[in-house]
Amino acid sequence: MVDVTPGVTLREALELPTFRRAAPKVLAGAAGTDRAIRWVHATERPDVRQLLRAGDLLLTMGTGLPEDDDAAGLTSFVDELADVGSAGVVVELGRRWGAALPEALVDACERHGLPLVVLARETRFAALAQEIGERVVDQQLAELREAQRVHETFTELSNELASPVEVLRAVQRLADAPVVVENAQHRPLDYFAGPDEDDGFLAGWPARSRRVEVAGRTGWDAANGWLVTRLGTTDRAWGRLVIGSPQAPSQRLVAVAERAASALALHRLHDRDRGTLMRRTHLELLTGLAEDPGSDDVRRRCELAGFPVHRRSLTGVVVRGRIGTVAPVDLDEVAATVVRAAHALRVPALVCEVERDLRVLVSTTPGADADELVDRLAARVLAHHDVVVAAGRTAPDRTGVARTVAEAGQVADAAPQARREQDPDVHRLADLHLRGLLALLGEDERVRLFVERELGPLQEHDRADGSRTELLAALRALLLHPSSKTEAAASLHLSRAAFYDRLARIEAVLDADLDDPDVRVSLHVALVADELLGGQPK
């Protein structure tokens, strides 16, 4: 569980009218003034451990504290405050101390990062406690109201059996932040941008996500600014929900994440146990063909479902929504379009959903042009939905079902996410060339080591230089415009002189000659592999 604490911070409390009239000054632990105050206690007792809880603010005049020359006693007093997690200590000058506090007290607070505030003017502690307490209660009531809003929102979504897209739209609206659902392999399945989000939130996602580990069901990763919630049980997690949270998340945001995770799990359960009978049946048939293609029982069930496999060629197709689009696709609608298109073309097809992908298996007679039929099917789907369509090589019989479906998934992974004019309707290995080969290699550790060896020095240089992609961008531009350095420079809005300077720096960093064809090929392969592994896109 994420450690979140409701309440006003000490920094905010110091701006309250009663506090300001007392002329407060922070003597130590200034960095800790952003911690939240749960409640306020006023006491002159030195044995405060039994009185305070984590987040409590102590008000004192110091009359009961150890003598000024008792450094050990004053240090022990501060140690106890730090041990219980106090929000800080406020000392009113005048009764015990005049213009200054004992150095031992100040030094101990600074060492623990415990805020120490002195009040130069006399004030009523009761008034301070009341003002802060009212603000804390107001915030707690606001938290309760927001929690009720979250509860009502997700209860309504559950009652309406909302789709995952509807659930994630609600998360985006409630969190006012970017939202990502990833699978167990750290591939983003859905993405909703935040209000001020640029295109960089998903940059290098798989590699970044693999480095994020949280304890328990929900955790906050401060480095990335992610609130991460596990989807599924500890033993059978199928993915994670990530909400952008640059600051430590509030209780409300944690509630949004965990209620959304429950809603997504409920939908997954309903989809498995209720779902549409056709898609559930098709998933079972596709799984059976992939795992036991020679089974007569599977063959009979396919024929009963109107999907012939005897003496038929079979082609695997994956249909995937583009990540980061303004209006994410509804896979239910896409599935319905695929079914209608297959029916209109009189092409038998199994259509099912697996991890936010539509997997389609097309059955054709041996003499038919399977690729042409898949192209016609894709054209009808693309007329209505902005999706990526990828196909595996046609299998001559059902023993190749696992291969053609897996290959379609690999092609979909390698296909560019952004739609380009030159892209075909259906992506195939033959169209992807180098990208297709690297997609087949997947996340082979040797590919990772190759990328690190080729691009590591440039990546380190860009990070140290404070610019993420200065030299890498120049290298990419050079390789994308091999016949014209002028065009390469123009693509980066640089002068030829500035571009040539960057090329010289690249050669110095890599200790390589960029005019060497072997060097160029090697670097080009590394850039494409880095993109597929989760690096910066082209």
Side-chain angles (χ1 to χ4, degrees), residues 27-29 71 74-76 78-79 101-114 116:
L27 293 187
L74 292 171
T75 299
S76 177
V78 175
D79 290 344
L101 299 185
E103 289 186 8
L105 182 65
V106 177
D107 292 344
C109 287
E110 187 64 38
R111 185 174 65 257
H112 284 291
L114 181 74
L116 174 61

Side-chain angles (χ1 to χ4, degrees), residues 14-313:
L14 294 176
E15 297 299 321
L16 294 174
T18 305
F19 244 124
R20 294 179 67 180
R21 285 194 293 270
K25 180 180 180 181
V26 180
L27 293 187
T33 55
D34 285 329
R35 66 184 64 176
I37 301 172
R38 283 187 181 273
W39 206 246
V40 183
H41 290 279
T43 183
E44 301 306 317
R45 292 177 52 179
D47 54 336
V48 294
R49 183 186 294 273
Q50 304 303 320
L51 300 178
L52 303 182
R53 303 171 305 163
D56 285 351
L57 180 68
L58 176 65
L59 308 179
T60 182
M61 292 180 290
T63 56
L65 297 188
E67 297 298 325
D68 292 13
D69 57 0
D70 185 4
L74 292 171
T75 299
S76 177
F77 168 73
V78 175
D79 290 344
E80 288 194 7
L81 290 177
D83 287 345
V84 298
S86 171
V89 56
V90 178
V91 180
E92 181 186 275
L93 300 177
R95 298 293 181 92
R96 166 70 186 277
W97 291 297
L101 299 185
E103 289 186 8
L105 182 65
V106 177
D107 292 344
C109 287
E110 187 64 38
R111 185 174 65 257
H112 284 291
L114 181 74
L116 174 61
V117 180
V118 294
L119 305 180
R121 297 175 187 162
E122 182 177 349
T123 189
R124 293 175 57 234
F125 281 177
L128 282 177
Q130 179 180 352
E131 193 167 43
I132 296 173
E134 288 174 349
R135 181 65 67 88
V136 170
V137 169
D138 286 345
Q139 290 204 0
Q140 289 175 340
L141 287 175
E143 288 275 349
L144 288 174
R145 285 192 291 269
E146 287 297 327
Q148 180 64 22
R149 180 188 171 203
V150 170
H151 171 75
E152 291 173 351
T153 298
F154 284 103
T155 298
E156 183 178 352
L157 290 170
S158 297
N159 290 338
E160 294 177 353
L161 300 178
S163 69
V165 169
E166 292 172 314
V167 171
L168 295 176
R169 282 200 180 107
V171 175
Q172 180 196 40
R173 185 173 63 253
L174 291 168
D176 198 30
V179 180
V180 176
V181 170
E182 64 174 18
N183 64 11
Q185 289 71 46
H186 304 283
R187 177 171 68 80
L189 303 177
D190 266 318
Y191 167 58
F192 291 80
D196 302 317
E197 195 58 48
D198 56 24
D199 295 333
F201 191 74
L202 286 177
W205 185 274
R208 292 163 60 202
S209 179
R210 287 187 196 94
R211 294 192 290 268
V212 175
E213 296 183 4
V214 296
R217 181 185 179 189
T218 303
W220 180 56
D221 181 68
N224 285 302
W226 292 355
L227 177 62
V228 182
T229 302
R230 184 183 65 242
L231 299 175
T233 63
T234 304
D235 298 331
R236 301 184 65 182
W238 55 269
R240 300 195 297 188
L241 171 67
V242 179
I243 301 175
S245 179
Q247 306 300 322
S250 64
Q251 284 185 325
R252 173 185 176 276
L253 188 59
V254 174
V256 168
E258 297 194 339
R259 285 301 303 271
S262 297
L264 292 171
L266 181 63
H267 181 274
R268 189 178 178 90
L269 178 66
H270 278 294
D271 193 53
R272 184 181 67 241
D273 296 337
R274 172 189 54 80
T276 62
L277 180 60
M278 182 200 74
R279 281 162 63 184
R280 186 178 68 181
T281 301
H282 284 196
L283 176 59
E284 293 172 352
L285 294 178
L286 182 56
T287 301
L289 286 170
E291 295 179 351
D292 190 9
S295 169
D296 288 335
D297 179 60
V298 173
R299 177 182 58 80
R300 285 192 294 269
R301 291 179 61 204
C302 286
E303 291 173 351
L304 286 173
F307 186 76
V309 294
H310 182 59
R311 295 182 179 177
R312 305 282 289 196
S313 298

Side-chain angles (χ1 to χ4, degrees), residues 193-454:
D196 302 317
E197 195 58 48
D198 56 24
D199 295 333
F201 191 74
L202 286 177
W205 185 274
R208 292 163 60 202
S209 179
R210 287 187 196 94
R211 294 192 290 268
V212 175
E213 296 183 4
V214 296
R217 181 185 179 189
T218 303
W220 180 56
D221 181 68
N224 285 302
W226 292 355
L227 177 62
V228 182
T229 302
R230 184 183 65 242
L231 299 175
T233 63
T234 304
D235 298 331
R236 301 184 65 182
W238 55 269
R240 300 195 297 188
L241 171 67
V242 179
I243 301 175
S245 179
Q247 306 300 322
S250 64
Q251 284 185 325
R252 173 185 176 276
L253 188 59
V254 174
V256 168
E258 297 194 339
R259 285 301 303 271
S262 297
L264 292 171
L266 181 63
H267 181 274
R268 189 178 178 90
L269 178 66
H270 278 294
D271 193 53
R272 184 181 67 241
D273 296 337
R274 172 189 54 80
T276 62
L277 180 60
M278 182 200 74
R279 281 162 63 184
R280 186 178 68 181
T281 301
H282 284 196
L283 176 59
E284 293 172 352
L285 294 178
L286 182 56
T287 301
L289 286 170
E291 295 179 351
D292 190 9
S295 169
D296 288 335
D297 179 60
V298 173
R299 177 182 58 80
R300 285 192 294 269
R301 291 179 61 204
C302 286
E303 291 173 351
L304 286 173
F307 186 76
V309 294
H310 182 59
R311 295 182 179 177
R312 305 282 289 196
S313 298
L314 301 161
T315 307
V317 179
V318 164
V319 182
R320 177 181 298 172
R322 296 185 187 276
I323 300 298
T325 55
V326 176
V329 298
D330 186 326
L331 279 187
D332 289 335
E333 295 180 2
V334 179
T337 302
V338 172
V339 171
R340 287 195 298 268
H343 180 74
L345 294 171
R346 296 184 179 180
V347 178
L350 297 180
V351 182
C352 56
E353 180 182 338
V354 179
E355 292 189 347
R356 301 295 293 153
D357 278 345
L358 281 183
R359 293 188 184 177
V360 183
L361 188 63
V362 175
S363 173
T364 55
T365 59
D369 187 338
D371 286 350
E372 192 267 340
L373 284 172
V374 170
D375 288 342
R376 291 169 61 192
L377 179 70
R380 290 174 179 253
V381 175
L382 291 169
H384 300 280
H385 306 285
D386 184 18
V387 293
V388 174
V389 182
R393 289 169 295 175
T394 299
D397 55 51
R398 62 182 186 270
T399 61
V401 166
R403 189 263 302 162
T404 185
V405 172
E407 190 175 277
Q410 292 165 343
V411 173
D413 290 340
Q417 273 296 312
R419 178 75 176 178
R420 302 177 303 187
E421 291 184 4
Q422 69 270 28
D423 285 345
D425 285 351
V426 181
H427 294 277
R428 295 181 172 89
L429 274 179
D431 303 317
L432 295 173
H433 305 294
L434 174 62
R435 297 176 66 90
L437 172 63
L438 292 173
L440 286 176
L441 293 175
E443 297 186 2
D444 190 298
E445 185 63 22
R446 290 168 295 184
V447 176
R448 288 182 177 278
L449 292 174
F450 172 75
V451 171
E452 291 175 6
R453 185 171 63 249
E454 294 294 309

Side-chain angles (χ1 to χ4, degrees), residues 489-490 492-501:
L492 296 177
H493 306 291
L494 293 174
S495 66
R496 283 175 57 88
F499 184 67
Y500 274 94
D501 177 66

